């Protein structure tokens, strides 16, 4: 088990109880010794839900199930295991999902389409689902509104710290809470959500509104992060609204009463996404890449991701080397509109290059100091248009190699 | 300086003299101490040439120059320096190229458009071209038809061994020779050629024929390789034909008399491209990825490159772990047509997965043995169509991190 990431928050945030959500976790022995690997979440009757999922052509069995029930927009239970992804397991994997869903359905007396399942871990091995179903009743007997830290811990794989975020906000004057937990460390280049994220609110919002809100929030959070450019087979982010808050009815994501809520949801999702990057396998430095002056926002995002996924940029940051030539390289290889004679680069706020050349009398000392810090700021000015984006990533270190050269063995 | 790659050939190949080509190298002190960094090649009058270049939007000054003269199709000299890429250097960089070209032009009494230049090394720093021009006359005085090993050594940067390949073949019954040298180790995801490659033949072929031949050969060699997915600002491969061989005139790349020559050129280029991969920064294992059953050859290539560029696949190979789930992941993230229930995987010739699941009673022992070797074979069957491709790459090790976390400093 690698040491706790040096980029981890000082402490796990204090998540308040959230009306309509109870949680329990345990160790059912799927893979890990001496740590929890199973999470059961109970959601109050009437809870609405919307998820976003990996765009891979090789989705896991749980992802296929969640995509199927997503249109119903209802949730009464979530069952998550770590240690085995139940991915590339064919019909056997589908049967494992069905049995797990059936176990939770019976426990809560709900419909099958109200049970979300998620699995994370090794790909390609049959999931011993009997270990899950044998433990559901015990977990059901000790559900608690306070077990957020334990819930966040139970879904970890190579994560070095449990990740959660919370915000309180108002809808039409009524206080509502948003709590989220997430796991993820490697195989992070979400093309939807990261590996597994669960966000809960007591707001009362119909599923179509949730779908619009989560898609937008994902785009500004998880979809703007990368650790290693590898996209998981299991990426799942689900937003559940228990409807226990007694605010005025809201039927559209564009409703003005959702302005603060949307901002708070964005903040929770961004917080969670950045925590995943801060726990990137082997990460020692957190890198924020701002791209401005692009032909479009989408183009700016792609330039940012080309930089964020460049092994040479990431190793230069690991080496505390202000090797800005590698930034030029990454912009150049992105395939996006860019003109050498317009390109400007700032590192740590210091202008390094402008209009296609290194600035005259460039003093590397302040940049070198910035590179020694934990938080690295890179800003690219393309000088072409008004498109902009921010992308978050981490450095590429010996730790990543050590973790991944013998994860499965 | 890292140790010689364990994947390096046992010895440098014996390149025969090639009529019309003479070479000399020296140390002009651009960056490296105690090793050569300048190569001068003299080509006989009448030599035709064609190059392929990086598709980056941030090409180096030498690449821009070569692209400009490429249409003329003539070459009398090539000047190459290592240690400084003369990339992202603006007008200052263009002036450095002009002065270098002028020096070689005067030396050989040729036209400026007959002088190819190439630079490799750090990006963004002005090239001290006076060190090059001051040394051209001395190099001109000791040009030799035998200096192939020295030539290959002078263009190295982080390379751990000098790279060359040779073949003899026939055009219309007349013997012709093809000699090539190449450098490259990191920043290797050629979108044309690798960093720098120079291929020479004594065949007598007009420039349009060379252009067709090199484009095709590049596509089957350099463009099918990757080390780290990062595309250089300096990628250049130039093919020069001195015309000294007295074979029957050939005016089309489709001419039947070129069948053997085309195969030999492909072999030289593939040999050079694979040597670059074998010297991939930190490489300990050579990986060949065969993709069959794809919707098209281009789709197969993209699936192969998605696998070859996956940090998780490359670290698994480094760890000698037959973690085939990561192959599923990489196929899934490629964005190419693929169906889970059709996917098959072989490692070292052993069927691991078939029709979307692990094979029954899978015995990992022979696969584990294969993973301990130096040469790793991965075969993907998509089961959709007739498209196929082979892609070559290397593993991702601690060596890559060590080399790149402090290359510039």
């Amino acid at each position: 088990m690698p040491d706790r990431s040096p980029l981890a928050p000082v402490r796990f945030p204090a998540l308040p109880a959230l009306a309509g959500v109870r949680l329990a976790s345990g160790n059912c022995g799927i893979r890990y010794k001496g740590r929890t690997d199973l999470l059961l979440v109970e959601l109050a009757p009437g809870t609405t839900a919307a998820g976003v999922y990996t765009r891979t052509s090789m989705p896991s069995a749980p992802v296929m199930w969640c995509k199927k029930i997503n249109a119903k927009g209802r949730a009464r239970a979530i069952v998550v295991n770590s240690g085995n992804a139940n991915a590339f397991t064919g019909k056997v994997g589908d049967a494992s999902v069905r049995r797990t869903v059936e176990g939770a359905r019976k426990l809560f007396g709900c419909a099958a389409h109200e049970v979300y399942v998620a699995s994370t871990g090794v790909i390609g091995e049959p999931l011993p689902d009997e270990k899950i179903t044998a433990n559901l009743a015990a977990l059901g007997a000790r559900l608690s509104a306070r077990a957020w830290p334990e819930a966040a811990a139970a879904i970890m794989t190579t994560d070095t710290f449990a990740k959660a975020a919370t915000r309180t906000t108002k809808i039409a004057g009524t206080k509502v809470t948003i709590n989220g937990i997430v796991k993820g460390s490697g195989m992070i280049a979400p093309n939807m959500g990261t590996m597994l994220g669960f966000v809960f609110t007591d707001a009362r919002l119909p599923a179509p509104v949730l779908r619009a809100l989560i898609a937008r929030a994902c785009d500004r959070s998880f979809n703007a992060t990368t650790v290693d450019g590898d996209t998981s087979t299991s990426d799942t982010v689900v937003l559940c609204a228990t409807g226990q808050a007694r605010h005025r009815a809201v039927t559209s994501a564009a409703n003005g009463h959702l302005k603060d809520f949307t901002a708070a949801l964005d903040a929770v999702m961004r917080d969670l996404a950045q925590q995943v990057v801060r726990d990137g396998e082997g990460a020692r430095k957190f890198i924020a890449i701002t791209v401005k002056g692009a032909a479009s926002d989408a183009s700016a995002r792609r330039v940012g991701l080309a930089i964020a996924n460049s092994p040479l940029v990431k190793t230069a940051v690991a080496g505390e080397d202000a090797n800005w030539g590698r930034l030029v390289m990454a912009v150049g290889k992105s395939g996006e509109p860019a003109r050498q004679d317009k390109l400007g680069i700032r590192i740590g706020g210091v202008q390094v290059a402008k209009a296609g050349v290194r600035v005259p009398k460039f003093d590397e000392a302040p940049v070198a100091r910035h590179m020694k810090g934990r938080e690295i700021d890179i800003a690219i000015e393309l000088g072409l248009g008004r498109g902009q984006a921010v992308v978050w990533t981490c450095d590429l270190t010996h730790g990543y190699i050590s973790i991944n050269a013998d994860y499965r063995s």
Side-chain angles (χ1 to χ4, degrees), chain A:
Chain A
M1 188 77 178
D3 291 342
R4 182 176 168 88
S5 167
L7 307 175
V10 177
R11 63 180 65 82
F12 190 85
L15 271 60
L18 199 155
V21 181
R22 295 197 306 159
L23 318 99
S25 57
N27 183 348
C28 68
I30 289 173
R31 180 177 189 86
Y32 305 122
K33 308 276 174 211
R35 48 185 273 207
T36 55
D37 60 1
L38 183 60
L39 167 65
L40 178 66
V41 183
E42 179 204 42
L43 297 155
T47 296
T48 52
V52 284
Y53 309 97
T54 177
R55 285 190 190 136
T56 180
S57 64
M58 302 286 154
S60 67
V63 164
M64 288 189 279
W65 168 258
C66 291
K67 281 183 167 178
K68 198 170 129 190
I69 64 169
N70 204 51
K72 298 281 189 181
R74 294 277 164 182
R76 288 295 313 285
I78 305 175
V79 182
V80 190
N81 74 274
S82 56
N84 182 315
N86 193 11
F88 205 72
T89 43
K91 293 187 199 315
V92 171
D94 296 335
S96 288
V97 168
R98 273 200 307 276
R99 285 188 294 264
T100 304
V101 167
E102 181 60 16
R105 190 196 68 70
K106 276 190 186 156
L107 189 63
F108 296 118
C110 63
H113 67 251
E114 293 177 308
V115 180
Y116 281 77
V117 291
S119 299
T120 174
V122 172
I123 295 169
E125 289 180 11
L127 175 70
D129 57 274
E130 68 286 359
K131 294 184 178 178
I132 296 174
T133 47
N135 280 281
L136 286 178
L139 261 57
R142 48 191 177 78
L143 288 160
S144 147
R146 294 277 170 194
W148 294 98
E150 296 80 3
I155 62 176
M156 289 165 55
T157 54
T158 56
D159 304 62
T160 73
F161 62 92
K163 302 170 188 69
T166 182
R167 295 290 187 284
T168 55
T169 182
K170 287 188 173 175
I171 297 181
T174 302
K175 182 185 160 195
V176 299
T177 299
I178 305 173
N179 282 353
I181 60 173
V182 69
K183 66 81 53 182
S185 185
M187 208 177 277
I188 302 293
N191 196 357
M192 255 298 111
T194 183
M195 294 191 72
L196 300 180
F198 304 96
V199 182
F200 305 91
T201 178
D202 52 353
R204 190 157 48 93
L205 298 170
V209 173
L210 293 188
R211 277 178 213 130
L213 291 175
I214 196 172
R216 180 178 166 286
C218 246
D219 201 48
R220 296 171 173 216
S221 56
F222 293 111
N223 287 356
T225 63
T226 182
V227 167
D228 51 14
D230 274 345
T231 299
S232 163
T233 53
S234 310
D235 289 347
T236 298
V237 177
V238 179
L239 171 62
C240 299
T242 64
Q244 307 287 301
R246 298 285 104 194
H247 57 76
R248 187 184 304 181
V250 171
T251 54
S252 156
N255 188 307
H257 289 309
L258 285 183
K259 191 162 167 259
D260 290 348
F261 181 85
T262 302
L265 180 64
D266 281 358
V268 166
M269 300 270 284
R270 194 167 54 240
D271 190 339
L272 294 173
Q274 292 190 1
Q275 286 190 53
V276 170
V277 171
R278 286 177 188 279
D279 203 11
E281 287 171 340
R284 311 289 297 172
K285 292 174 192 285
F286 179 83
I287 310 171
I289 300 160
T290 306
V291 180
K292 290 187 177 172
S296 67
D297 287 355
S299 178
R301 168 80 57 91
R302 288 190 289 264
V303 169
L305 286 172
I307 295 169
N309 280 322
S310 160
L312 290 171
V313 169
K314 295 160 85 80
T315 48
V317 172
E320 304 187 338
D321 177 9
N323 192 327
W324 58 273
R326 294 181 183 175
L327 299 173
V328 175
M329 176 281 298
V331 173
K333 81 161 181 170
S334 70
E336 293 301 312
R339 278 185 52 182
Q340 200 160 174
D341 61 355
K342 300 244 182 191
L343 185 67
I345 297 172
R346 283 172 188 267
I347 299 175
V350 179
Q351 191 94 43
V352 173
K354 199 171 176 176
V357 286
R358 193 171 65 182
V359 296
K361 296 180 190 140
F362 171 54
D363 175 14
E364 194 163 322
V367 178
R369 275 197 300 278
H370 178 74
M371 297 303 293
K372 292 194 184 303
R374 286 279 185 222
E375 312 274 324
I376 307 299
D377 280 314
I378 293 170
I380 302 292
E381 172 60 55
L382 294 173
L384 296 180
R386 301 170 66 89
Q388 51 182 289
V390 184
V391 166
W392 299 285
T393 190
C394 57
D395 55 346
L396 173 58
T397 69
H398 285 289
Y400 184 87
I401 308 293
S402 297
I403 293 165
N404 286 302
D406 54 18
Y407 170 65
R408 203 188 62 143
S409 310

Coordinates of all heavy atoms in Angstrom, one line a residue, chain A residues 322-366:
Chain A
A322 N 11.5 23.4 -15.2 CA 10.6 24.3 -16.0 C 10.9 24.1 -17.5 O 11.2 25.0 -18.2 CB 10.8 25.7 -15.6
N323 N 10.7 22.9 -17.9 CA 11.0 22.5 -19.3 C 9.8 22.9 -20.2 O 9.1 22.0 -20.7 CB 11.3 21.0 -19.4 CG 11.9 20.6 -20.7 OD1 11.6 21.2 -21.7 ND2 12.8 19.6 -20.7
W324 N 9.7 24.2 -20.5 CA 8.5 24.7 -21.2 C 8.5 24.3 -22.7 O 7.5 24.3 -23.3 CB 8.4 26.2 -21.0 CG 9.7 26.9 -21.5 CD1 10.8 27.2 -20.8 CD2 9.9 27.4 -22.8 NE1 11.7 27.8 -21.6 CE2 11.2 28.0 -22.8 CE3 9.1 27.5 -24.0 CZ2 11.7 28.6 -23.9 CZ3 9.7 28.1 -25.1 CH2 11.0 28.6 -25.1
G325 N 9.7 23.9 -23.2 CA 9.7 23.4 -24.6 C 8.8 22.2 -24.7 O 8.2 22.0 -25.8
R326 N 8.6 21.4 -23.7 CA 7.7 20.3 -23.8 C 6.2 20.7 -23.8 O 5.4 20.0 -24.3 CB 7.9 19.3 -22.6 CG 9.3 18.7 -22.7 CD 9.5 17.7 -21.5 NE 10.9 17.2 -21.6 CZ 11.4 16.4 -20.6 NH1 10.7 16.0 -19.6 NH2 12.7 15.9 -20.7
L327 N 6.0 21.9 -23.3 CA 4.6 22.5 -23.4 C 4.4 22.9 -24.9 O 3.3 22.6 -25.4 CB 4.4 23.7 -22.5 CG 4.6 23.5 -21.0 CD1 4.6 24.8 -20.2 CD2 3.5 22.6 -20.5
V328 N 5.4 23.4 -25.5 CA 5.3 23.8 -26.9 C 5.0 22.5 -27.7 O 4.1 22.4 -28.6 CB 6.6 24.4 -27.4 CG1 6.5 24.6 -29.0 CG2 6.8 25.7 -26.7
M329 N 5.8 21.5 -27.4 CA 5.6 20.2 -28.1 C 4.2 19.7 -28.0 O 3.5 19.3 -28.9 CB 6.6 19.2 -27.5 CG 6.5 17.7 -28.0 SD 5.2 16.7 -27.3 CE 5.6 16.7 -25.6
A330 N 3.6 19.7 -26.7 CA 2.3 19.2 -26.5 C 1.2 20.0 -27.2 O 0.3 19.4 -27.7 CB 2.1 19.1 -25.0
V331 N 1.4 21.3 -27.2 CA 0.4 22.1 -27.9 C 0.5 21.7 -29.4 O -0.6 21.5 -30.1 CB 0.7 23.6 -27.8 CG1 -0.2 24.4 -28.7 CG2 0.5 24.0 -26.3
G332 N 1.7 21.6 -29.9 CA 1.9 21.2 -31.3 C 1.3 19.9 -31.7 O 0.7 19.7 -32.8
K333 N 1.4 18.9 -30.8 CA 0.9 17.6 -31.2 C -0.6 17.4 -31.0 O -1.2 16.4 -31.4 CB 1.6 16.5 -30.4 CG 1.1 16.3 -29.0 CD 1.5 14.9 -28.4 CE 1.0 14.7 -27.0 NZ 1.1 13.4 -26.5
S334 N -1.2 18.4 -30.3 CA -2.7 18.3 -30.0 C -3.6 18.2 -31.2 O -4.7 17.7 -31.1 CB -3.1 19.5 -29.1 OG -3.1 20.7 -29.9
G335 N -3.1 18.7 -32.3 CA -3.9 18.7 -33.5 C -4.9 19.8 -33.6 O -5.6 20.0 -34.5
E336 N -4.9 20.7 -32.5 CA -5.8 21.8 -32.5 C -5.2 23.0 -33.1 O -4.0 23.2 -33.2 CB -6.2 22.1 -31.0 CG -6.9 21.0 -30.3 CD -8.2 20.7 -31.0 OE1 -9.0 21.7 -31.3 OE2 -8.5 19.5 -31.3
P337 N -6.1 24.0 -33.6 CA -5.6 25.2 -34.2 C -4.6 25.9 -33.2 O -5.0 26.1 -32.1 CB -6.9 26.0 -34.4 CG -8.0 25.0 -34.5 CD -7.6 23.9 -33.6
A338 N -3.5 26.3 -33.7 CA -2.5 27.0 -32.9 C -1.4 27.6 -33.9 O -1.1 26.9 -34.9 CB -1.8 26.0 -32.0
R339 N -1.0 28.7 -33.6 CA 0.1 29.4 -34.4 C 1.3 29.7 -33.5 O 1.2 30.3 -32.5 CB -0.5 30.7 -35.0 CG -1.3 30.4 -36.3 CD -1.7 31.7 -36.9 NE -0.6 32.6 -37.1 CZ -0.7 33.8 -37.7 NH1 -1.9 34.3 -38.0 NH2 0.4 34.6 -37.8
Q340 N 2.4 29.2 -34.0 CA 3.6 29.4 -33.3 C 3.9 30.8 -32.9 O 4.3 31.1 -31.8 CB 4.8 28.8 -34.1 CG 6.0 28.4 -33.3 CD 6.9 27.5 -34.0 OE1 8.0 27.2 -33.5 NE2 6.5 26.9 -35.1
D341 N 3.6 31.7 -33.9 CA 4.0 33.2 -33.6 C 3.0 33.9 -32.7 O 3.1 35.1 -32.5 CB 4.2 33.9 -34.9 CG 2.9 33.9 -35.8 OD1 1.9 33.2 -35.4 OD2 2.9 34.5 -36.8
K342 N 2.0 33.1 -32.2 CA 1.0 33.7 -31.3 C 1.1 33.1 -29.9 O 0.5 33.6 -29.0 CB -0.4 33.5 -31.8 CG -0.7 34.1 -33.2 CD -1.7 35.1 -33.1 CE -2.0 35.7 -34.5 NZ -2.9 36.9 -34.4
L343 N 1.8 32.0 -29.8 CA 1.8 31.2 -28.6 C 2.5 31.9 -27.4 O 3.6 32.4 -27.5 CB 2.4 29.9 -28.8 CG 2.4 28.9 -27.7 CD1 0.9 28.4 -27.4 CD2 3.2 27.7 -28.0
G344 N 1.8 32.0 -26.3 CA 2.4 32.5 -25.1 C 2.3 31.5 -23.9 O 1.3 30.7 -23.9
I345 N 3.3 31.5 -23.0 CA 3.3 30.5 -21.9 C 3.6 31.2 -20.7 O 4.6 32.0 -20.6 CB 4.3 29.4 -22.2 CG1 3.9 28.6 -23.5 CG2 4.4 28.5 -21.0 CD1 5.0 27.6 -23.9
R346 N 2.9 31.0 -19.6 CA 3.2 31.4 -18.2 C 3.3 30.2 -17.3 O 2.5 29.3 -17.4 CB 2.1 32.3 -17.7 CG 2.1 33.7 -18.2 CD 0.9 34.5 -17.7 NE 0.8 35.8 -18.3 CZ 1.3 36.9 -17.8 NH1 1.9 36.9 -16.6 NH2 1.2 38.0 -18.4
I347 N 4.3 30.2 -16.5 CA 4.4 29.1 -15.5 C 4.5 29.8 -14.1 O 5.3 30.7 -13.9 CB 5.7 28.3 -15.7 CG1 5.6 27.6 -17.0 CG2 5.8 27.2 -14.6 CD1 6.8 26.8 -17.4
G348 N 3.6 29.5 -13.2 CA 3.5 30.1 -11.9 C 3.3 31.6 -12.1 O 3.8 32.4 -11.2
G349 N 2.6 32.0 -13.1 CA 2.3 33.4 -13.3 C 3.4 34.2 -14.0 O 3.3 35.4 -14.3
V350 N 4.6 33.6 -14.2 CA 5.7 34.3 -14.9 C 5.7 34.0 -16.4 O 5.6 32.9 -16.8 CB 7.0 33.8 -14.3 CG1 8.2 34.5 -15.0 CG2 7.1 34.0 -12.8
Q351 N 5.7 35.1 -17.1 CA 5.7 34.9 -18.6 C 7.1 34.3 -19.0 O 8.1 34.8 -18.7 CB 5.6 36.3 -19.3 CG 5.3 36.2 -20.8 CD 3.8 36.2 -21.1 OE1 3.1 37.0 -20.5 NE2 3.4 35.4 -22.0
V352 N 7.0 33.1 -19.7 CA 8.2 32.4 -20.1 C 8.4 32.6 -21.6 O 9.5 32.9 -22.1 CB 8.0 30.9 -19.8 CG1 9.1 30.1 -20.4 CG2 7.9 30.7 -18.3
A353 N 7.3 32.5 -22.4 CA 7.4 32.7 -23.8 C 6.2 33.6 -24.3 O 5.2 33.6 -23.6 CB 7.3 31.3 -24.5
K354 N 6.4 34.3 -25.3 CA 5.4 35.2 -25.9 C 5.6 35.3 -27.4 O 6.7 35.4 -27.8 CB 5.6 36.6 -25.2 CG 4.4 37.5 -25.3 CD 4.6 38.7 -24.4 CE 3.4 39.6 -24.6 NZ 3.5 40.8 -23.7
A355 N 4.5 35.3 -28.1 CA 4.5 35.5 -29.5 C 5.6 34.6 -30.2 O 6.3 35.0 -31.1 CB 4.8 36.9 -29.9
G356 N 5.6 33.3 -29.7 CA 6.4 32.3 -30.4 C 7.9 32.3 -30.1 O 8.6 31.5 -30.7
V357 N 8.4 33.0 -29.1 CA 9.8 32.9 -28.6 C 9.8 33.1 -27.1 O 8.9 33.6 -26.5 CB 10.7 33.9 -29.3 CG1 11.0 33.6 -30.8 CG2 10.1 35.3 -29.2
R358 N 10.9 32.6 -26.6 CA 11.2 32.8 -25.2 C 11.3 34.3 -24.9 O 11.8 35.1 -25.8 CB 12.6 32.2 -24.8 CG 12.8 32.1 -23.3 CD 14.1 31.2 -23.1 NE 15.3 31.8 -23.6 CZ 16.5 31.3 -23.6 NH1 16.6 30.1 -23.1 NH2 17.5 31.9 -24.1
V359 N 10.8 34.8 -23.8 CA 10.8 36.3 -23.6 C 12.3 36.7 -23.4 O 13.1 35.9 -23.0 CB 10.0 36.7 -22.3 CG1 8.6 36.3 -22.5 CG2 10.6 36.0 -21.1
P360 N 12.6 37.9 -23.9 CA 14.0 38.4 -23.8 C 14.4 38.5 -22.4 O 13.6 38.8 -21.5 CB 13.9 39.8 -24.4 CG 12.6 39.9 -25.1 CD 11.7 38.9 -24.4
K361 N 15.7 38.2 -22.1 CA 16.3 38.3 -20.8 C 15.4 37.5 -19.8 O 15.1 37.9 -18.7 CB 16.4 39.7 -20.3 CG 17.4 40.5 -21.2 CD 17.6 41.9 -20.7 CE 18.4 42.7 -21.7 NZ 17.8 44.1 -21.8
F362 N 15.0 36.3 -20.2 CA 14.2 35.4 -19.3 C 15.0 35.0 -18.1 O 16.1 34.5 -18.1 CB 13.8 34.2 -20.1 CG 13.2 33.1 -19.3 CD1 12.0 33.4 -18.5 CD2 13.6 31.8 -19.3 CE1 11.4 32.4 -17.8 CE2 13.0 30.8 -18.5 CZ 11.9 31.1 -17.8
D363 N 14.3 35.3 -16.9 CA 14.9 35.0 -15.6 C 14.3 33.7 -15.1 O 13.1 33.7 -14.7 CB 14.8 36.1 -14.6 CG 15.3 35.7 -13.3 OD1 16.0 34.7 -13.1 OD2 15.0 36.5 -12.3
E364 N 15.0 32.6 -15.1 CA 14.3 31.3 -14.8 C 14.1 31.1 -13.2 O 13.4 30.3 -12.8 CB 15.2 30.2 -15.3 CG 14.4 28.8 -15.3 CD 15.0 27.8 -16.2 OE1 15.5 28.1 -17.3 OE2 15.0 26.6 -15.8
A365 N 14.8 32.0 -12.5 CA 14.8 31.7 -11.0 C 13.4 31.7 -10.4 O 13.1 30.7 -9.7 CB 15.7 32.8 -10.3
P366 N 12.5 32.6 -10.6 CA 11.2 32.6 -10.0 C 10.4 31.3 -10.5 O 9.6 30.8 -9.8 CB 10.5 33.9 -10.4 CG 11.3 34.4 -11.6 CD 12.7 33.9 -11.4

